[in-house]
Amino acid sequence: MENLLKWMRRYVSPVFLALLVASFILWYLAKLTYMYTTEQTIRLSIDGQPVEITCVVEGVGTNLFGYRVYMNKTLRIPLAELKTRRATGEDHEGKLVIDPQSLQHAISVRFSDIKIISIGAIPEIDDPVKE
């Protein structure tokens, strides 16, 4: 390792390395202005019940990067805002199934600068009336 550092000091200019790093940073910033489509995990709280949903989102790279890095908060969505139906089957008593379109709309309203293209599987939630 020490030989590599000696070789680099002798043959590679520190100015060159600084300019190389600066050019990489500028290139990366320029790429963030493009539109991208990616998957994003969004944490929700539906009437106090925690839910994680994977969504396909589209937006400018800076906005998507910001949501991915800095978005640690949970979105609160009231159950009254969503269309639901009772789950059927023995194992699903006391559970509600959320309509995907209504959930996608509720999430889209809260994200103004990215577009929610689709949402993944929505877990069933407990029926608050049943409890």
Side-chain angles (χ1 to χ4, degrees):
M1 185 61 137
E2 192 173 313
N3 290 335
L4 178 66
L5 291 175
K6 284 182 184 179
W7 179 84
M8 285 189 63
R9 284 190 197 123
R10 182 179 294 163
Y11 293 108
V12 179
S13 168
V15 174
F16 172 76
L17 289 177
L19 290 174
L20 182 66
V21 169
S23 67
F24 174 76
I25 291 170
L26 290 173
W27 170 81
Y28 191 73
L29 290 174
K31 286 292 189 180
L32 285 177
T33 62
Y34 295 175
M35 290 290 285
Y36 293 99
T37 303
T38 186
E39 283 190 356
Q40 180 94 16
T41 300
I42 298 175
R43 284 186 277 171
L44 305 172
S45 174
I46 302 173
D47 278 357
Q49 297 182 50
V51 177
E52 280 195 3
I53 302 213
T54 302
C55 300
V56 176
V57 296
E58 179 182 67
V60 178
T62 52
N63 296 338
L64 294 175
F65 182 75
Y67 278 113
R68 186 166 297 234
V69 172
Y70 301 112
M71 182 67 172
N72 292 326
K73 65 179 184 177
T74 301
L75 289 179
R76 293 185 179 151
I77 299 177
L79 187 60
E81 203 174 298
L82 303 172
K83 293 179 185 173
T84 60
R85 63 178 171 78
R86 294 200 185 283
T88 57
E90 282 183 29
D91 300 345
H92 306 284
E93 288 182 22
K95 300 280 188 179
L96 291 176
V97 176
I98 299 172
D99 178 51
Q101 298 337 73
S102 68
L103 183 60
Q104 182 175 349
H105 176 70
I107 295 171
S108 295
V109 169
R110 287 161 176 81
F111 289 124
S112 60
D113 47 356
I114 62 173
K115 180 180 177 184
I116 309 294
I117 296 176
S118 67
I119 57 175
I122 305 168
E124 296 173 346
I125 62 170
D126 295 327
D127 187 354
V129 176
K130 196 78 170 168
E131 296 173 352

